[in-house]
Amino acid sequence: DPRAMLVTAGEAVEIARRGGARGLEITNLLNIAETSLYLGLWLETRVALEELKQRDLVPWHRQWLFGLEAVLAAMSGDVEHAQELLALGLQEIEVSGGDGNTQLASETTRLTSMAFTSLATNDLPSAYRHASRAIELDPMGINSNAALGIAARAALWLGQTDDLREMLGAMQRLRGRASAAQRRTLEAGLAALEGRLDEAAENYLDAFEQWRIVDSVLDLALSELDLVLVLGADHPAASVAKEARDIFVQIGAVTMLERLNRVTDVAAD
């Protein structure tokens, strides 16, 4: 329940402030920024990021912050700035040190941010490679859920059926409503790649309802984009492109809007 997570993290921030637990306060602010970014609540993301920029952060937290800013910049169409931010994040890892768990979390966070940025900029092979590496390094870690979703979507857009099937299999270990919605989305994509088009359309419609229950507008729009890409803009179910377009415009997901428009413009021609 990502929305409940945002509420809980907000409560944790206040408790940490009262208790003087600065590290926990910063971590939960970063969790708020990351979760709201993935949900498509980009106003909340920007508010959290701006607050974090005013704080004195340790290298691990700065690297995390730079990665989130990079994803937001890439999705918003500022690719050059996204690459600059990723480079800054890499510099923070190189100087951070820390114990083995912190180093692992830093590296998988960096790889996941690079994967999402690559997906946003249509560098699909890099998106798959970075996300797969994050999963390989820490299959059940804090970034494995997000990395699995990015790798699977990159495989779907590339038409790599075997890779998509592998990622979907790995997702079976995940629990929760958001994970269930993600699996249903990818089951629909796999059905489409395998030529089971009616089943794919039915599964996509089910996935859309699950994303609405979870209340993740970005995931909903990305899943609708998936449908248009794999079933074609002429498919009857591709009428969901209008909702996806409205969401991308509303939140400012410029690169995803451009990808959707390319598909629908070709169909119109």
Side-chain angles (χ1 to χ4, degrees), residues 46 68-79 81-83 85 255:
R46 290 187 170 93
L68 295 176
E69 285 191 295
V71 173
L72 187 59
M75 292 283 280
S76 302
D78 194 346
V79 178
H81 186 45
Q83 295 302 323
L85 289 163
T255 56

Side-chain angles (χ1 to χ4, degrees), residues 82-133:
Q83 295 302 323
E84 293 171 352
L85 289 163
L86 289 174
L88 289 173
L90 179 58
Q91 291 175 16
E92 294 296 339
I93 286 183
E94 291 172 345
V95 302
S96 63
D99 59 30
N101 290 333
T102 300
Q103 290 177 345
L104 180 60
S106 294
E107 181 61 9
T108 58
T109 297
R110 183 182 75 89
L111 287 166
T112 303
S113 297
M114 291 175 64
F116 206 157
T117 301
S118 296
L119 186 76
T121 57
N122 203 34
D123 184 357
L124 303 182
S126 293
Y128 184 82
R129 183 175 67 256
H130 295 317
S132 297
R133 179 57 178 160

Side-chain angles (χ1 to χ4, degrees), residues 177-191:
R177 292 188 299 176
S179 296
Q182 185 73 277
R183 282 195 299 274
R184 180 57 90 188
T185 301
L186 297 170
E187 287 167 354
L190 181 61

Side-chain angles (χ1 to χ4, degrees), residues 17 26 29-30 32-33 36 42-57 65 68-69 72 81 85:
R17 282 175 179 164
I26 298 299
L29 281 170
L30 284 160
I32 290 170
S36 57
W42 289 0
L43 176 59
E44 290 85 341
T45 302
R46 290 187 170 93
V47 169
L49 292 176
E50 285 305 313
E51 181 171 356
L52 285 160
K53 289 178 186 178
Q54 309 307 313
R55 308 298 295 273
D56 182 20
L57 306 180
L65 172 64
L68 295 176
E69 285 191 295
L72 187 59
H81 186 45
L85 289 163

Side-chain angles (χ1 to χ4, degrees), residues 9 29 43-44 46-47 61 63-64 66 68 80 97 118 123 128 130 138 143 177 202 210 213 221 226 248 250 257 269:
L29 281 170
L43 176 59
E44 290 85 341
R46 290 187 170 93
V47 169
H61 284 148
Q63 180 264 324
W64 190 354
F66 286 139
L68 295 176
E80 183 177 350
S118 296
D123 184 357
Y128 184 82
H130 295 317
D138 197 7
N143 291 298
R177 292 188 299 176
E202 182 178 344
Q210 292 190 40
I213 292 171
D226 291 345
F248 291 147
Q250 177 185 0
L257 177 62
D269 292 341

Side-chain angles (χ1 to χ4, degrees), residues 3-269:
R3 289 279 189 162
M5 182 271 171
L6 288 176
V7 174
T8 303
E11 293 172 352
V13 167
E14 295 306 317
I15 293 170
R17 282 175 179 164
R18 292 199 300 270
R22 180 175 166 278
L24 288 174
E25 178 191 352
I26 298 299
T27 295
N28 278 285
L29 281 170
L30 284 160
N31 279 328
I32 290 170
E34 181 172 315
T35 303
S36 57
L37 172 63
Y38 287 165
L39 286 172
L41 305 173
W42 289 0
L43 176 59
E44 290 85 341
T45 302
R46 290 187 170 93
V47 169
L49 292 176
E50 285 305 313
E51 181 171 356
L52 285 160
K53 289 178 186 178
Q54 309 307 313
R55 308 298 295 273
D56 182 20
L57 306 180
V58 298
W60 149 234
H61 284 148
R62 282 198 298 272
Q63 180 264 324
W64 190 354
L65 172 64
F66 286 139
L68 295 176
E69 285 191 295
V71 173
L72 187 59
M75 292 283 280
S76 302
D78 194 346
V79 178
E80 183 177 350
H81 186 45
Q83 295 302 323
E84 293 171 352
L85 289 163
L86 289 174
L88 289 173
L90 179 58
Q91 291 175 16
E92 294 296 339
I93 286 183
E94 291 172 345
V95 302
S96 63
D99 59 30
N101 290 333
T102 300
Q103 290 177 345
L104 180 60
S106 294
E107 181 61 9
T108 58
T109 297
R110 183 182 75 89
L111 287 166
T112 303
S113 297
M114 291 175 64
F116 206 157
T117 301
S118 296
L119 186 76
T121 57
N122 203 34
D123 184 357
L124 303 182
S126 293
Y128 184 82
R129 183 175 67 256
H130 295 317
S132 297
R133 179 57 178 160
I135 298 162
E136 178 186 349
L137 287 174
D138 197 7
M140 294 295 290
I142 59 174
N143 291 298
S144 60
N145 195 341
L148 278 167
I150 296 167
R153 176 158 279 120
L156 174 67
W157 290 3
L158 286 166
Q160 297 173 178
T161 304
D162 290 342
D163 292 328
L164 175 56
R165 190 181 294 111
E166 179 183 352
M167 294 301 153
L168 186 54
M171 283 183 178
Q172 300 307 313
R173 65 176 182 260
L174 303 176
R175 297 291 178 267
R177 292 188 299 176
S179 296
Q182 185 73 277
R183 282 195 299 274
R184 180 57 90 188
T185 301
L186 297 170
E187 287 167 354
L190 181 61
L193 292 185
E194 293 179 342
R196 296 177 279 120
L197 303 186
D198 290 341
E199 180 182 344
E202 182 178 344
N203 286 345
Y204 270 126
L205 294 178
D206 183 37
F208 300 157
E209 291 310 308
Q210 292 190 40
W211 284 125
R212 289 189 177 96
I213 292 171
V214 173
D215 202 13
S216 176
V217 294
L218 180 57
D219 283 307
L220 172 60
L222 288 173
S223 298
E224 291 171 336
L225 172 59
D226 291 345
L227 183 152
V228 177
L229 289 172
V230 298
L231 294 183
D234 293 328
H235 192 281
S239 59
V240 297
K242 181 183 184 306
E243 182 178 29
R245 182 175 290 106
D246 289 344
I247 291 172
F248 291 147
V249 169
Q250 177 185 0
I251 68 175
V254 172
T255 56
M256 295 303 164
L257 177 62
E258 290 173 348
R259 188 174 184 88
L260 177 63
N261 285 340
R262 283 197 298 271
V263 179
T264 54
D265 287 348
V266 168
D269 292 341

